Every structure is written in structure tokens, then in C-alpha cells.
């Protein structure tokens, strides 16, 4: 990637670089249907969604799902999502922003809570893999926080990337918590899974476009 300035972005995938809101809402409602729950709208989802994901289900059920219910809902969610993600594309302007950040001599990577074996070919299929020095998806059970995954992600980049010059760009409050956990900064984007009101509670910059997110990341990493 040539000479790098030290500024680094860790991109979230789902709801940030990958505009998959429709697939996520459809998969969520398919999972809800297994327990007889009424479907919810995207606005309701963005107002209520949180991690760990069983807590999100608790907000709608009035109780935590049992282990068996969680396994069933999780399996239905991922099956539906895999079938419908093919109609989803990258967020507006993402390709140009990735290329611009790289050509400016900065580095970037992806850390997603989407399964690693599914994530890598998906990123590759969009022809953007070369922009990243590392692409990591989730390994292990789904539904948890990104914080420990962020520790491993930046640990694998130690020497090339420094937390104090790193900015996490994501669409969930959990992205800000993961950044804080490793001493990095965060910018949250309103185009994904959370409403602006819920994102602002994280106490980090909140923006409405990825272009604004990248500009803010450049400022924070300077």
C-alpha cells in the first residue's frame, strides 16, 4: 500500500460499508416469527437494537429468550440473511472513499461480527479487498460484543497500526465501546442499525454519511 501516514480506519461491515438494512430487518422478522412475535419496522429496529443480541430480543419479548429459543432464532436469522444479502450492495460512495483513503497513504481494515468464512468472499466479490491490510469476521458464537474481537484485530496489526492513530467507523454504539476498549477513537454512522438518538448516547461524533465519517476520522487521527 506504499508509504503510510499512521492514520488507520477500522471499518465495520454490516450497516456501514455494506448497506444491508433490508436483509437484516427481513431476517429479524423471520426470527421473530418463530416465537410468534409481530414483525417490526426498520424505525423500531433502529430504536431498540442493541448488543448482546439476546438483550435486543428481551426488549421485545419482555424476557430473555431461552437457550433453545436463541439458537432457533439465530439459525433462522442467518439462513434468511444469507438468502437475501445477494440483493444488497455497498453504501453510497464507499468504493471512492476506500480508494481515496488508501491513495492518501493511510491504512484501513475491516472488523465485522459477521462470520469470517462468509465475510471474506463477500468483500472479495465487491472487488475492494486490496484496499484493506486485514479483513476479520467473527469467529465463535454470534450475538456478543465486538470489544474482544477488536483486541485481537489490532493485536494482529501491532507495529503497523497504533491505537492512538486508529479510528473505528461503525453504525452501532458497540463499535464505540470496542474502540474505547483498545484506546482508539470512533465515529458512528446513522445509515445502519441504530437511530441518531441512540448513537449520540455513546459520546462520540455521529455523522449521516460515510464521507463525513472519513473526514472526521482524518481529523481525529491527525
Amino acid at each position: 500500500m506504499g508509504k503510510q501516514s499512521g492514520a488507520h480506519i477500522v471499518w465495520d461491515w454490516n450497516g456501514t460499508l455494506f448497506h444491508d438494512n433490508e436483509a437484516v430487518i427481513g431476517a429479524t422478522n423471520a426470527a421473530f416469527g418463530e416465537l410468534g412475535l409481530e414483525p417490526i419496522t426498520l424505525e423500531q429496529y433502529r430504536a431498540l437494537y442493541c448488543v448482546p443480541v439476546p438483550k435486543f430480543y428481551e426488549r421485545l419479548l419482555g424476557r430473555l429468550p431461552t437457550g433453545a429459543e436463541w439458537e432457533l432464532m439465530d439459525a433462522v436469522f442467518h439462513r434468511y440473511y444469507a438468502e437475501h444479502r445477494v440483493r444488497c450492495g455497498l453504501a453510497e460512495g464507499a468504493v471512492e472513499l476506500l480508494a481515496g483513503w488508501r491513495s492518501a497513504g493511510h491504512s484501513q481494515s475491516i472488523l465485522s461480527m459477521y462470520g469470517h468464512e462468509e465475510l471474506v468472499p463477500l468483500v472479495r466479490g465487491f472487488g475492494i479487498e486490496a484496499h484493506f491490510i486485514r479483513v476479520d469476521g467473527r469467529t465463535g458464537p454470534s450475538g456478543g460484543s465486538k470489544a474482544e474481537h477488536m483486541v485481537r484485530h489490532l493485536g494482529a496489526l501491532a507495529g503497523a497500526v497504533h491505537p492512538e492513530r486508529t479510528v473505528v467507523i461503525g453504525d452501532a454504539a458497540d463499535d464505540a465501546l470496542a474502540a474505547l476498549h483498545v484506546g482508539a477513537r470512533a465515529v458512528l454512522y446513522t445509515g445502519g442499525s441504530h437511530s441518531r438518538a441512540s448513537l449520540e448516547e455513546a459520546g462520540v461524533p455521529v455523522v449521516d454519511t460515510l464521507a463525513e465519517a472519513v473526514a472526521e476520522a482524518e481529523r481525529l487521527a491527525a
Side-chain angles (χ1 to χ4, degrees):
M1 289 180 62
K3 185 177 179 181
Q4 296 172 11
S5 68
H8 182 81
I9 290 175
V10 178
W11 290 96
D12 174 56
W13 179 248
N14 303 94
T16 304
L17 286 176
F18 189 45
H19 187 65
D20 61 349
N21 289 348
E22 289 187 6
V24 167
I25 259 304
T28 298
N29 283 330
F32 286 174
E34 293 295 322
L35 296 190
L37 290 171
E38 291 295 316
I40 63 171
T41 65
L42 177 60
E43 289 71 26
Q44 289 171 313
Y45 178 92
R46 284 161 50 83
L48 295 171
Y49 181 75
C50 63
V51 294
V53 179
K55 293 290 289 182
F56 169 52
Y57 291 155
E58 181 184 25
R59 291 180 173 184
L60 294 141
L61 277 171
R63 60 174 175 81
L64 279 171
T66 67
E69 287 172 336
W70 162 249
E71 289 181 11
L72 173 63
M73 295 173 80
D74 194 46
V76 169
F77 178 96
H78 285 98
R79 184 168 65 246
Y80 183 102
Y81 181 84
E83 293 171 359
H84 290 79
R85 75 179 189 198
V86 296
R87 297 201 295 266
C88 302
L90 296 176
E92 182 179 357
V95 173
E96 294 79 9
L97 290 167
L98 294 173
W101 184 261
R102 182 187 182 195
S103 66
H106 308 315
S107 62
Q108 54 199 330
S109 59
I110 292 175
L111 175 62
S112 172
M113 294 300 281
Y114 191 45
H116 184 76
E117 298 304 318
E118 292 80 25
L119 174 68
V120 172
L122 189 54
V123 172
R124 189 171 295 146
F126 282 111
I128 58 173
E129 186 180 23
H131 293 309
F132 306 105
I133 60 173
R134 188 173 182 89
V135 175
D136 281 335
R138 171 186 49 78
T139 57
S142 63
S145 174
K146 187 177 273 189
E148 291 306 319
H149 296 271
M150 188 68 74
V151 171
R152 289 191 291 272
H153 184 72
L154 288 192
L157 296 172
V161 170
H162 304 285
E164 66 274 11
R165 299 290 309 281
T166 295
V167 179
V168 177
I169 297 178
D171 69 318
D174 190 53
D175 291 299
L177 293 175
L180 179 65
H181 191 67
V182 295
R185 311 291 286 277
V187 178
L188 298 180
Y189 163 62
T190 63
S193 63
H194 280 44
S195 66
R196 171 175 277 277
S198 62
L199 293 177
E200 287 176 342
E201 293 176 4
V204 302
V206 176
V207 298
D208 296 320
T209 69
L210 291 187
E212 292 175 280
V214 170
E216 188 67 14
E218 190 158 27
R219 183 186 71 81
L220 290 173

